[in-house]
Amino acid sequence: MPLHVALHHETRYRYDRAVHLGPQVIRLRPAPHCRTPIISYSLRIEPDGHFLNWQQDPQGNFLARAIFEETTRNFSVTVDLVAEMSVINPFDFFVEEATENWPFEYERGLRTELRPYLTKTRLGRHLADFIAPFRSKNEHVVDFIVGLNRALQQRIDYVVRLEPGVQTPEQTLALARGSCRDSAWLAVHALRHLGIAARFASGYLIQLTADVPSLDGPSGPAQDFTDLHAWAEAYLP
């Protein structure tokens, strides 16, 4: 029987005086290509006196755009969703023969479509040193990406960072630590400098305690845990 989990997300703003809210764009709906089945979803916005329109950006993400007529001292966004925690094999795919082994180049038309995901930051010293060993590799492209991901995990310590913004790849490598968003941004630009289209993604991390302790590895979290999360996505034909 599939396991369903309910997620409740509230973001609230309180102001010390009545304010006029400009158009608010809310990005809190699972992407259409999300592999985790979403059983139900609802979005509630307060104050009630608003117009709501759903839009889609060029990547197909759903955006809720709210327009408010009256001033208010409170603004809140509440999301409730139910997800099916089905087991997913992340390697359940085949790579096209022409791009099966690294290094490879995207076909010209595809490269044009992927141009935004190949845009690179300036290659700093730390990032150049990090990706240098991967430039000379010759192996199956999935093994190549797994190896890059493993090297990043071994190099960067994970920390919970409450400061706003994202560290640059150079900052994360120099500090050798970062939050999930910092490591994701580093992975995106490492991949791009190596010629693989990549993008930054965000969503929720839901970790549940195991019913039975693991006999051959970590048992996972000691209690159910949910938080905002970020990761990198790479495009393979």
Side-chain angles (χ1 to χ4, degrees), residues 20-26 43-54 64-72 74-78:
H20 180 77
L21 295 172
Q24 302 293 309
V25 179
I26 299 156
L43 170 70
R44 187 170 71 256
I45 300 173
E46 295 178 342
D48 293 330
H50 63 269
F51 296 97
L52 178 66
N53 291 291
W54 283 100
R65 188 173 190 270
I67 299 176
F68 302 85
E69 292 189 313
E70 306 293 335
T71 59
T72 182
N74 295 281
F75 171 50
S76 69
V77 178
T78 304

Side-chain angles (χ1 to χ4, degrees), residues 51-66:
F51 296 97
L52 178 66
N53 291 291
W54 283 100
Q55 305 172 340
Q56 282 186 283
D57 66 13
Q59 289 75 47
N61 298 305
F62 288 107
L63 315 177
R65 188 173 190 270

